[in-house]
């Protein structure tokens, strides 16, 4: 019987894996070889074989250039803020939505708040640039109508960070509640019945049953998001930023794009990318390990 | 019953109001753009429009759909979605089937699995990938938009977990007894059972390809070959009109009504697939990502 699962039986399985493996080998593994560019002064006309070696120069630059150090800080600040709000807002929203008893109402709200998740930042960039504009954008018109000064949301560094975090939460808070709602649906109803008999009101039930049941999944979500702390949201920032806010809004990914593909400093771009990949790799491995240890979470 | 207490009633009232406001907040920016796209040019440029069109007109849509570059880019987007989704789903199905086998049955399974999973953990980053695509001669080809992302390992794992949880082992064994090979089993047993999750992942892939814009920006030199998202990125966000060739078109495309119409046209396909998507994604995600 064991013999049945040998090569003769299983060669089709290898064959099935081959096409996807070739795609990965070419587009994921082969570029890893290109990482040596980080230690060269790469010139496209010389190629990887012909470009001179410079050792760790680009990494030294990365940590001494004022611009690149600022970019790393911006990335960390923006993505930490996003992490915190992406945890709190969906958590609270799931709790509030859980108190809604009319099913149709609940479904409608869910349908609406999940929608922005599926729209691209190109579309949303176009919308937000229009809506938040200083020159008659609807938000500033509303602010003026109640007697406030207009705000330069996309042109002032601090407001830009605020706008980035706020619009990102706007886009994804709904979708992020799904996982909490799933956890809420899994709470054993007899816990609430027991609490009722003990005379607990809804607030006490929430504090001692609902919230504790959501904590494990919140820990998983929070821990796993650690792995992407260096991803501050390329698509979003690229579609919303402008030279006015490079100082506080430029992040690693947008910086790599501009230095490498626009200015032609391929090697510096590769070095920054490699730095990011290595840190992310360590963080992802640690995060999954932590999620497994603390909450027994495994992806497969 | 605590649900009937006065305090809880007041809470429910406030809570429902708050939730309605939040839901409105999600919709209002979209409604505003929709209203501008149907408004007369003068009203739109004078910033008079809020959530209802003023001087209703279809001019924005007429101009957009009358523009050759724009219509061309929609066709390219459709081509990209069809090719990209087809190739991705085929690769995902084949590899998820093979990897859903236990390592006791399929020797080498774990080595293959790590080969796939490693790509989720570490990647070369933007520059080496860009140089590679250039070196293999895919620049300016639609395949540059299809192949680099063709294997989404995360989706593959969703599919794999679905295979493991929903396909009865006895059914598979019966197929083997009757002499079916792996390809036959995949086609006749696995595929029919997993149609719902296949549909879910396809819809996600369709949305992904429709929305992708950055690869078009860096891999396509010829702006006539831009898919819609990339074209929109250059004209609406970067305000770079070099993709538009004639002067009258340039005038026509730069006003707010037309811009809003373009944005809205790009969202239509998403809004169309959204109801189907929503029916599946809650279940799909939960089933796929939580392993009992």
């Amino acid at each position: 019987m064991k013999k049945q699962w040998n090569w003769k039986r299983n060669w089709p399985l290898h064959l099935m894996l081959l096409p996807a493996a070739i795609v990965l080998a070419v587009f994921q593994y082969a570029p890893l070889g290109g990482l040596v560019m980080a230690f060269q002064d790469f010139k496209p006309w010389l190629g990887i074989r012909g470009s001179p070696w410079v050792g760790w120069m680009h990494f030294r630059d990365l940590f001494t250039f004022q611009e690149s150090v600022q970019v790393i800080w911006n990335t960390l600040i923006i993505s930490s803020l996003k992490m915190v709000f992406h945890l709190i807002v969906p958590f609270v929203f799931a709790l509030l939505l859980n108190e809604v008893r009319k099913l149709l109402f609940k479904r409608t709200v869910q349908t609406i708040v999940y929608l922005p998740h599926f729209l691209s930042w190109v579309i949303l960039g176009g919308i937000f640039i229009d809506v938040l504009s200083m020159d008659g954008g609807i938000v500033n018109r509303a602010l003026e109508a109640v007697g406030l000064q207009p705000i330069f949301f996309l042109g002032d560094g601090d407001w830009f960070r605020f706008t980035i975090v706020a619009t990102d939460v706007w886009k994804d808070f709904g979708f992020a509640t799904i996982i909490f709602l799933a956890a809420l649906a899994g709470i054993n109803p007899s816990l609430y019945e027991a609490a009722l008999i003990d005379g607990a009101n809804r607030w006490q039930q929430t504090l001692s049953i609902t919230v504790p049941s959501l904590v494990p999944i919140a820990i998983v979500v929070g821990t796993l998001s650690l792995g992407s702390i260096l991803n501050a949201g390329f698509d979003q920032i690229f579609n919303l930023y402008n030279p006015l806010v490079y100082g506080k809004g430029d992040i690693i990914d947008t910086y790599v794009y501009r230095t490498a593909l626009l200015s032609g400093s391929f090697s510096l771009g590769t070095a920054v990318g490699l730095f990011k990949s290595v840190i992310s790799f360590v963080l992802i491995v640690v995060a999954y390990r932590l999620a497994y240890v603390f909450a027994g979470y495994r992806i497969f | 019953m605590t649900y009937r207490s006065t305090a809880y009633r007041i809470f429910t009232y406030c809570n429902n109001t708050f939730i309605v406001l939040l839901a409105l907040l999600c919709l209002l920016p979209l409604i505003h753009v929709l209203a501008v796209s149907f408004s007369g040019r003068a009203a739109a440029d004078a910033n008079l429009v809020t959530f209802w069109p003023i001087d209703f007109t279809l001019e924005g849509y007429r101009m957009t759909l009358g523009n050759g570059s724009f219509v061309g880019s929609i066709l390219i987007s459709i081509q990209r979605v069809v090719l990209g989704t087809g190739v991705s789903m085929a690769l995902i199905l084949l590899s998820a089937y093979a990897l859903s086998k236990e390592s006791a049955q399929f020797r080498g399974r774990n080595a293959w699995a790590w080969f796939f999973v490693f790509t989720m953990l570490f990647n070369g980053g933007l520059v080496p990938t860009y140089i590679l695509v250039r070196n293999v001669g895919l620049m300016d080809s639609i395949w540059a938009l299809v192949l680099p992302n063709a294997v989404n390992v995360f989706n593959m794992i969703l599919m794999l977990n679905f295979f493991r949880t929903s396909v009865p082992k006895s059914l598979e064994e019966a197929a083997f007894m009757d002499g079916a090979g792996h390809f036959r089993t995949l086609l006749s047993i696995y595929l029919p059972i997993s149609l719902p999750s296949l549909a879910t992942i396809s819809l996600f892939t369709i949305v992904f390809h429709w929305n992708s814009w950055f690869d078009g920006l860096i891999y396509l030199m010829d702006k006539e070959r831009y898919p819609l998202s990339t074209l929109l990125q250059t004209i609406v966000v970067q305000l770079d009109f070099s993709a538009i060739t004639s002067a009258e078109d340039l005038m026509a495309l730069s006003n707010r009504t037309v811009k809003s119409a373009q944005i809205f046209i790009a969202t239509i396909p998403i809004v169309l697939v959204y109801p189907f998507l929503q029916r599946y994604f809650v279940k799909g995600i939960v089933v796929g990502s939580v392993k009992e």
Side-chain angles (χ1 to χ4, degrees):
Chain A
M1 204 53 195
K2 260 249 140 75
K3 268 267 145 64
Q4 223 184 353
W5 289 100
N6 59 17
W7 174 254
K8 208 170 144 195
R9 166 125 201 113
N10 282 340
W11 68 265
L13 295 177
H14 294 281
L15 190 65
M16 285 175 172
L17 286 164
L18 203 57
I22 291 174
V23 169
L24 290 180
V26 173
F27 294 101
Q28 297 286 332
Y29 284 94
L32 297 184
L35 286 172
V36 297
M37 283 187 290
F39 303 96
Q40 293 180 323
D41 185 18
F42 178 79
K43 297 278 180 277
W45 56 90
L46 294 175
I48 288 177
R49 291 220 181 84
S51 297
W53 295 89
V54 296
W56 294 89
M57 186 184 90
H58 297 297
F59 292 91
R60 244 173 285 142
D61 290 349
L62 166 63
F63 294 110
T64 46
F65 281 175
Q66 203 199 343
E67 199 186 19
S68 50
V69 172
Q70 183 65 44
V71 160
I72 295 174
W73 275 117
N74 291 343
T75 308
L76 289 175
I77 292 170
I78 292 174
S79 68
S80 322
L81 285 172
K82 280 185 178 177
M83 247 172 79
V84 172
F85 286 99
H86 272 306
L87 202 54
I88 296 175
V89 177
F91 190 97
V92 173
F93 187 66
L95 284 180
L96 294 180
L97 208 56
N98 190 41
E99 297 305 313
V100 173
R101 307 240 89 77
K102 296 186 196 87
L103 214 58
L104 182 68
F105 175 61
K106 195 172 167 180
R107 288 263 163 79
T108 314
V109 169
Q110 282 173 296
T111 304
I112 294 171
V113 297
Y114 296 163
L115 177 66
H117 173 80
F118 295 97
L119 302 177
S120 80
W121 276 113
V122 170
I123 291 169
L124 295 178
I127 293 178
F128 280 121
I129 288 172
D130 181 89
V131 164
L132 299 174
S133 134
M134 273 291 268
D135 167 35
I138 192 162
V139 174
N140 276 321
R141 265 156 56 202
L143 287 178
E144 272 173 70
V146 294
L148 293 169
Q149 288 292 315
I151 294 170
F152 203 0
F153 287 103
L154 297 173
D156 175 81
D158 292 316
W159 276 109
F160 181 76
R161 282 183 184 166
F162 167 84
T163 310
I164 287 297
V165 175
T167 53
D168 198 50
V169 169
W170 175 88
K171 183 180 196 274
D172 275 323
F173 83 93
F175 199 71
T177 54
I178 290 180
I179 191 149
F180 291 116
L181 290 175
L184 283 170
I187 299 176
N188 189 345
S190 61
L191 289 174
Y192 291 109
E193 286 158 21
L196 262 183
I197 292 167
D198 292 344
N201 64 28
R202 191 66 187 161
W203 175 242
Q204 288 164 327
Q205 291 174 23
T206 303
L207 280 189
S208 37
I209 301 172
T210 320
V211 172
S213 340
L214 286 186
V215 166
I217 194 76
I219 291 176
V220 171
V221 172
T223 320
L224 295 187
S225 67
L226 268 182
S228 52
I229 188 115
L230 293 183
N231 288 325
F234 174 80
D235 281 21
Q236 179 194 19
I237 292 190
F238 190 80
N239 284 307
L240 287 174
Y241 80 164
N242 56 67
L244 286 178
V245 292
Y246 281 176
K248 290 194 168 172
D250 197 13
I251 56 164
I252 293 179
D253 292 326
T254 47
Y255 181 71
V256 169
Y257 170 74
R258 288 203 322 279
T259 47
L261 300 196
L262 295 187
S263 320
S265 314
F266 289 102
S267 283
L268 180 60
T270 311
V272 181
L274 177 58
F275 163 74
K276 189 191 154 200
S277 291
V278 170
I279 304 278
S280 301
F281 174 74
V282 173
L283 286 174
I284 292 171
V285 172
V286 170
Y288 274 87
R289 194 69 214 147
L290 286 178
Y292 179 64
V293 170
F294 287 116
Y297 174 86
R298 295 176 66 184
I299 58 162
F300 73 111
Chain B
M1 191 63 185
T2 58
Y3 295 138
R4 299 217 190 100
S5 73
T6 323
Y8 192 77
R9 276 192 187 165
I10 295 173
F11 165 77
T12 304
Y13 183 75
C14 298
N15 188 31
N16 287 354
T17 316
F18 179 72
I19 288 174
V20 168
L21 287 179
L22 261 185
L24 273 182
L25 193 67
C26 286
L27 275 186
L28 286 182
L30 308 177
I31 295 175
H32 174 65
V33 171
L34 186 59
V36 172
S37 76
F38 284 117
S39 295
R41 185 171 181 169
D45 286 345
N47 302 316
L48 297 173
V49 185
T50 51
F51 302 114
W52 196 255
I54 297 177
D55 307 332
F56 184 88
T57 168
L58 290 173
E59 194 66 358
Y61 292 90
R62 201 184 57 74
M63 276 186 178
T64 305
L65 296 176
N67 178 279
S69 312
F70 204 84
V71 177
S73 76
I74 293 180
L75 294 178
I76 292 169
S77 277
I78 293 173
Q79 195 188 347
R80 171 187 188 161
V81 166
V82 171
L83 266 181
T85 310
V87 170
S88 279
M89 293 319 292
L91 293 178
I92 283 176
L93 264 181
L94 288 171
S95 46
Y97 171 82
L99 292 178
S100 72
K101 299 285 165 271
E102 300 294 337
S103 52
Q105 300 172 336
F106 174 24
R107 210 177 308 144
R109 184 251 172 209
N110 286 349
W112 279 113
W114 274 110
F115 184 82
F116 279 72
V117 170
F118 180 76
T119 63
M120 289 172 92
L121 304 176
F122 194 84
N123 64 70
L126 173 65
V127 186
T129 311
Y130 170 79
I131 301 272
L132 180 104
V133 169
R134 221 168 58 166
N135 287 347
V136 293
L138 285 181
M139 291 301 266
D140 262 336
S141 153
I142 188 135
W143 293 103
L145 314 181
V146 171
L147 289 179
N149 299 309
V151 182
N152 182 321
V153 179
F154 183 77
N155 285 345
M156 198 273 288
I157 292 175
L158 286 185
M159 198 75 218
L160 180 165
N161 282 341
F162 186 84
F163 281 161
R164 285 194 164 176
T165 50
S166 334
V167 179
K169 277 281 159 285
S170 51
L171 209 56
E172 182 184 337
E173 279 157 17
F176 288 149
M177 286 295 174
D178 290 345
H182 285 297
F183 281 100
R184 186 60 195 267
T185 312
L186 171 57
L187 279 182
S188 315
I189 309 280
Y190 278 68
L191 201 59
I193 294 179
S194 42
L195 278 182
S197 75
L198 196 66
T200 316
I201 296 176
S202 303
L203 286 172
F204 272 99
T205 312
I206 289 171
V207 171
F208 167 81
H209 275 291
W210 182 264
N211 280 342
S212 290
W213 54 277
F214 184 64
D215 42 8
L217 195 66
I218 60 176
Y219 297 141
L220 306 176
M221 299 294 109
D222 179 3
K223 295 187 173 174
E224 288 291 308
R225 297 186 188 204
Y226 275 179
L228 180 60
S229 293
T230 310
L231 181 72
L232 210 59
Q233 208 277 333
T234 55
I235 61 183
V236 176
V237 180
Q238 288 183 27
L239 304 178
D240 164 10
F241 292 96
S242 56
I244 307 297
T245 33
S246 82
E248 310 109 76
D249 282 353
L250 185 63
M251 285 292 289
L253 290 177
S254 59
N255 81 63
R256 242 183 116 206
T257 303
V258 181
K259 245 165 57 175
S260 304
Q262 290 167 342
I263 289 175
F264 200 73
I265 288 172
T267 60
I268 288 174
I270 305 287
V271 174
L272 284 184
V273 302
Y274 181 62
F276 301 98
L277 199 59
Q278 204 207 352
R279 194 177 338 150
Y280 291 124
F281 65 62
V282 179
K283 231 165 88 194
I285 286 172
V286 174
V287 168
S289 55
V290 179
K291 197 189 167 195
E292 298 300 331

